[in-house]
CSV table of all heavy atoms in Angstrom, one decimal:
chain,number,residue,atom,x,y,z
A,554,SER,N,6.7,9.8,-59.9
A,554,SER,CA,7.2,8.5,-60.6
A,554,SER,C,6.4,7.3,-60.0
A,554,SER,O,6.3,7.2,-58.8
A,554,SER,CB,8.7,8.4,-60.4
A,554,SER,OG,9.4,9.4,-60.9
A,555,GLY,N,6.0,6.4,-60.9
A,555,GLY,CA,5.3,5.3,-60.5
A,555,GLY,C,4.6,4.6,-61.6
A,555,GLY,O,4.7,5.0,-62.8
A,556,PRO,N,3.9,3.5,-61.3
A,556,PRO,CA,3.8,2.8,-60.0
A,556,PRO,C,5.1,2.2,-59.5
A,556,PRO,O,5.9,1.8,-60.3
A,556,PRO,CB,2.7,1.8,-60.3
A,556,PRO,CG,2.1,2.1,-61.6
A,556,PRO,CD,3.1,2.8,-62.4
A,557,LEU,N,5.1,2.0,-58.2
A,557,LEU,CA,6.3,1.4,-57.6
A,557,LEU,C,5.9,0.0,-57.2
A,557,LEU,O,4.8,-0.2,-56.5
A,557,LEU,CB,6.8,2.2,-56.4
A,557,LEU,CG,8.2,1.9,-56.0
A,557,LEU,CD1,9.2,2.6,-57.0
A,557,LEU,CD2,8.5,2.5,-54.6
A,558,VAL,N,6.7,-1.0,-57.5
A,558,VAL,CA,6.5,-2.4,-57.1
A,558,VAL,C,7.5,-2.8,-56.0
A,558,VAL,O,8.7,-2.5,-56.2
A,558,VAL,CB,6.6,-3.4,-58.3
A,558,VAL,CG1,6.3,-4.8,-57.8
A,558,VAL,CG2,5.7,-3.0,-59.4
A,559,VAL,N,7.0,-3.3,-54.9
A,559,VAL,CA,7.9,-3.7,-53.8
A,559,VAL,C,7.8,-5.2,-53.6
A,559,VAL,O,6.7,-5.8,-53.5
A,559,VAL,CB,7.6,-3.0,-52.5
A,559,VAL,CG1,8.5,-3.4,-51.4
A,559,VAL,CG2,7.6,-1.5,-52.7
A,560,GLU,N,8.9,-5.9,-53.6
A,560,GLU,CA,9.0,-7.3,-53.3
A,560,GLU,C,9.9,-7.6,-52.1
A,560,GLU,O,11.0,-7.1,-52.1
A,560,GLU,CB,9.5,-8.1,-54.6
A,560,GLU,CG,8.5,-8.1,-55.7
A,560,GLU,CD,9.0,-9.0,-56.9
A,560,GLU,OE1,10.2,-9.4,-56.8
A,560,GLU,OE2,8.2,-9.2,-57.8
A,561,ILE,N,9.4,-8.4,-51.2
A,561,ILE,CA,10.2,-8.7,-50.0
A,561,ILE,C,10.3,-10.2,-49.9
A,561,ILE,O,9.3,-10.9,-49.9
A,561,ILE,CB,9.6,-8.1,-48.8
A,561,ILE,CG1,9.3,-6.6,-48.9
A,561,ILE,CG2,10.5,-8.4,-47.5
A,561,ILE,CD1,8.5,-6.0,-47.8
A,562,GLU,N,11.5,-10.8,-49.9
A,562,GLU,CA,11.7,-12.2,-49.9
A,562,GLU,C,12.1,-12.7,-48.5
A,562,GLU,O,13.0,-12.1,-47.8
A,562,GLU,CB,12.8,-12.6,-50.9
A,562,GLU,CG,12.5,-12.3,-52.3
A,562,GLU,CD,13.6,-12.8,-53.3
A,562,GLU,OE1,14.6,-13.2,-52.8
A,562,GLU,OE2,13.4,-12.7,-54.5
A,563,TYR,N,11.3,-13.7,-48.0
A,563,TYR,CA,11.6,-14.3,-46.7
A,563,TYR,C,11.9,-15.8,-46.9
A,563,TYR,O,11.4,-16.4,-47.8
A,563,TYR,CB,10.3,-14.3,-45.8
A,563,TYR,CG,9.7,-12.9,-45.6
A,563,TYR,CD1,8.8,-12.4,-46.5
A,563,TYR,CD2,10.0,-12.2,-44.4
A,563,TYR,CE1,8.2,-11.2,-46.3
A,563,TYR,CE2,9.4,-10.9,-44.2
A,563,TYR,CZ,8.5,-10.4,-45.2
A,563,TYR,OH,7.9,-9.2,-45.0
A,564,ARG,N,12.8,-16.3,-46.1
A,564,ARG,CA,13.1,-17.7,-46.0
A,564,ARG,C,12.5,-18.3,-44.7
A,564,ARG,O,13.0,-17.9,-43.7
A,564,ARG,CB,14.6,-18.0,-46.2
A,564,ARG,CG,15.1,-17.6,-47.6
A,564,ARG,CD,16.5,-18.1,-47.9
A,564,ARG,NE,16.9,-17.6,-49.2
A,564,ARG,CZ,16.6,-18.2,-50.3
A,564,ARG,NH1,15.9,-19.3,-50.3
A,564,ARG,NH2,17.1,-17.7,-51.5
A,565,VAL,N,11.6,-19.2,-44.8
A,565,VAL,CA,10.8,-19.6,-43.7
A,565,VAL,C,10.9,-21.2,-43.6
A,565,VAL,O,10.6,-21.8,-44.6
A,565,VAL,CB,9.4,-19.1,-43.7
A,565,VAL,CG1,8.6,-19.6,-42.5
A,565,VAL,CG2,9.3,-17.6,-43.8
A,566,ALA,N,11.2,-21.7,-42.5
A,566,ALA,CA,11.2,-23.2,-42.3
A,566,ALA,C,9.8,-23.7,-42.5
A,566,ALA,O,8.8,-23.1,-42.2
A,566,ALA,CB,11.7,-23.5,-40.9
A,567,ALA,N,9.7,-25.0,-43.0
A,567,ALA,CA,8.5,-25.6,-43.3
A,567,ALA,C,7.6,-25.7,-42.1
A,567,ALA,O,6.3,-25.6,-42.2
A,567,ALA,CB,8.7,-27.0,-44.0
A,568,ASP,N,8.1,-26.0,-41.0
A,568,ASP,CA,7.3,-26.1,-39.7
A,568,ASP,C,6.6,-24.8,-39.3
A,568,ASP,O,5.6,-24.8,-38.6
A,568,ASP,CB,8.2,-26.6,-38.6
A,568,ASP,CG,8.7,-28.0,-38.8
A,568,ASP,OD1,8.2,-28.7,-39.7
A,568,ASP,OD2,9.7,-28.4,-38.1
A,569,ASN,N,7.2,-23.7,-39.8
A,569,ASN,CA,6.6,-22.4,-39.4
A,569,ASN,C,5.8,-21.8,-40.5
A,569,ASN,O,5.3,-20.6,-40.4
A,569,ASN,CB,7.8,-21.4,-39.1
A,569,ASN,CG,8.5,-21.8,-37.8
A,569,ASN,OD1,8.0,-22.4,-36.9
A,569,ASN,ND2,9.8,-21.5,-37.8
A,570,ALA,N,5.5,-22.5,-41.6
A,570,ALA,CA,4.8,-22.0,-42.7
A,570,ALA,C,3.4,-21.5,-42.4
A,570,ALA,O,3.0,-20.4,-42.8
A,570,ALA,CB,4.7,-23.0,-43.8
A,571,ARG,N,2.6,-22.3,-41.7
A,571,ARG,CA,1.3,-21.8,-41.3
A,571,ARG,C,1.3,-20.6,-40.4
A,571,ARG,O,0.5,-19.7,-40.6
A,571,ARG,CB,0.5,-23.0,-40.7
A,571,ARG,CG,-0.9,-22.7,-40.4
A,571,ARG,CD,-1.7,-23.9,-39.9
A,571,ARG,NE,-1.8,-24.9,-40.9
A,571,ARG,CZ,-2.7,-24.9,-41.8
A,571,ARG,NH1,-3.6,-24.0,-41.9
A,571,ARG,NH2,-2.8,-25.9,-42.7
Side-chain angles (χ1 to χ4, degrees):
S554 297
L557 202 75
V558 183
V559 181
E560 290 184 352
I561 308 173
E562 294 182 356
Y563 306 85
R564 295 192 180 277
V565 181
D568 292 344
N569 293 329
R571 183 174 295 277

